[in-house]
Amino acid sequence: MSGEAGLRAMRPPEVPVNIAAPDLRRWLPGNAGIPGVWTFAAEAPGPHVAITGIIHGNEIAGAVLLDRWLEAGILPARGRLTLVFGNLEAYARFDPADPTASRFLDEDLNRVWDPGVLDGRRRSAELRRARELRPVIETVDLLADMHSMLWPSDPLILAGVPEKGALLGCAIGVPPVVVSDAGHLGGRRLIDFPRFAGEGPAAAVLVEAGAHWEPATVETMEQAAARLLRHAGQARPEDPLRPGAPRGPVRRALVTRTVTANSRDFAFLREFRGGEVIGPPNALIAMDGEEEIRTPHEDCLLVMPMPLVPRGHTAVRLARFLG
């Protein structure tokens, strides 16, 4: 998920685009006074649930999901359901011939959700969009932010620090690994916004549903979103929500170290896949200039290692399973 834009001066892998980016022109006006935001209220009271997609403009699987649900007329049985197309400007520049180039325009929309940043004087296309979306985000009770990944990795759910996020991830259960982490040094994600990271009941998760441009990633997103609606009591029997495979056991993990590249010479010792577990403790997995990067404990879960990482970006998160 993270860092494609920093790779513009590097050589990201050539990955085929096996899904089509939907034409969003009919959805751009929205119905909530905010472009690309659609909200639907039921007569029965209930929570405000939100599904967000294309927070990164090249993660088009999220647009496929939201386009599919709007076309199908999915509505909540109770409460309110809001569907949010995130970085519309970056998405409009998506080009299958250069699919990593449209992650964002000026800065990462998933690193600006700090109130101090949102209330500050800094200007960018992404901050303008975050400020535009903020009023609706501040009313959401349960949120699933849909993402996909460039580098090979098993799908997972990121839950942030609060236990309520992890519990929401476990209730969704697709993908079946829920990782609690503190985010990135580069800025706060949407799930780290105080509405969700604070002491109140509102909770959010980030669903890393699979490889960027694969049909299976869309299906994982749809299963996760449908399970969120069922968890919130919003699913209607007449809506075509895909049940997916029966849910297996959910595993939880806690990030014990977030490795940020401090030099331009960061390199893993070999190719690692996200979701790989390194058995022995103190195993050498990477070099950051002269610094050795070792696993801090046995059975160390590698969370989304990034082989080509710009300095100052997250290279990998190291986690241990709970229970």
Side-chain angles (χ1 to χ4, degrees):
M1 178 187 99
S2 62
E4 281 117 283
L7 300 177
R8 288 169 185 165
M10 300 181 180
R11 292 184 179 180
E14 294 184 6
V15 180
V17 178
N18 292 324
I19 57 176
D23 184 346
L24 300 184
R25 282 178 292 181
R26 60 178 169 164
W27 308 128
L28 294 182
N31 71 346
I34 304 171
V37 176
W38 290 82
T39 190
F40 308 96
E43 291 186 5
H48 183 183
V49 173
I51 310 294
T52 52
I54 58 170
I55 292 295
H56 296 132
N58 66 327
E59 297 181 15
I60 63 174
V64 176
L65 168 64
L66 298 183
D67 175 70
R68 181 183 291 176
W69 275 27
L70 286 166
E71 176 68 27
I74 304 296
L75 296 173
R78 67 187 187 107
R80 180 178 294 275
L81 173 64
T82 298
L83 306 179
V84 179
F85 294 97
N87 198 333
L88 291 170
E89 290 186 75
Y91 177 83
R93 299 190 184 189
F94 180 76
D95 179 359
D98 189 12
T100 63
S102 58
R103 179 177 169 86
F104 56 77
L105 299 185
D106 299 324
E107 61 179 317
D108 193 328
L109 181 55
N110 213 29
R111 301 292 184 273
V112 300
W113 292 93
D114 185 308
V117 173
L118 293 171
D119 293 334
R121 299 173 62 86
R122 201 170 84 221
R123 298 290 181 265
S124 70
E126 279 70 27
L127 271 170
R128 182 172 62 249
R129 181 58 171 164
R131 289 163 180 152
E132 192 172 48
L133 295 175
R134 184 179 183 178
V136 69
I137 296 300
E138 287 181 331
T139 70
V140 171
D141 299 307
L142 300 172
L143 180 141
D145 186 20
M146 299 296 175
H147 288 258
S148 54
M149 298 176 278
L150 175 64
W151 303 100
S153 180
D154 297 337
L156 73 156
I157 295 174
L158 293 174
V161 172
E163 179 70 5
K164 60 184 179 178
L167 294 176
L168 177 61
C170 290
I172 294 171
V174 174
V177 174
V178 177
V179 178
S180 298
D181 77 322
H184 304 272
L185 290 179
R188 284 192 181 185
R189 302 163 297 188
L190 178 55
I191 65 170
D192 303 320
F193 187 60
R195 171 75 178 176
F196 311 115
E199 294 183 357
V205 294
L206 188 160
V207 178
E208 293 284 6
H212 275 336
W213 306 300
E214 292 295 331
T217 299
V218 179
E219 299 309 310
T220 298
M221 286 183 178
E222 186 156 21
Q223 289 179 36
R227 290 178 188 276
L228 175 57
L229 262 60
R230 293 190 177 95
H231 171 68
Q234 288 194 338
R236 303 188 310 166
E238 63 266 36
D239 283 336
L241 298 175
R242 304 186 182 191
R247 194 184 77 175
V250 178
R251 299 195 73 184
R252 287 190 57 183
L254 175 68
V255 169
T256 55
R257 181 185 177 188
T258 298
V259 178
T260 301
N262 294 316
S263 76
R264 292 188 175 89
D265 298 322
F266 187 98
F268 287 98
L269 266 64
R270 63 170 176 84
E271 292 185 3
F272 291 103
R273 177 182 178 86
E276 187 171 343
V277 176
I278 307 300
N282 202 39
L284 181 64
I285 60 171
M287 296 294 297
D288 191 359
E290 299 298 320
E291 180 188 0
E292 295 183 343
I293 307 299
R294 295 181 176 271
T295 56
H297 45 74
E298 64 181 2
D299 296 330
C300 183
L301 174 67
L302 303 187
V303 179
M304 298 171 61
M306 185 175 168
L308 296 178
V309 56
R311 185 173 62 178
H313 287 252
T314 300
V316 65
R317 280 159 279 191
L318 308 177
R320 60 178 175 86
F321 286 107
L322 303 178

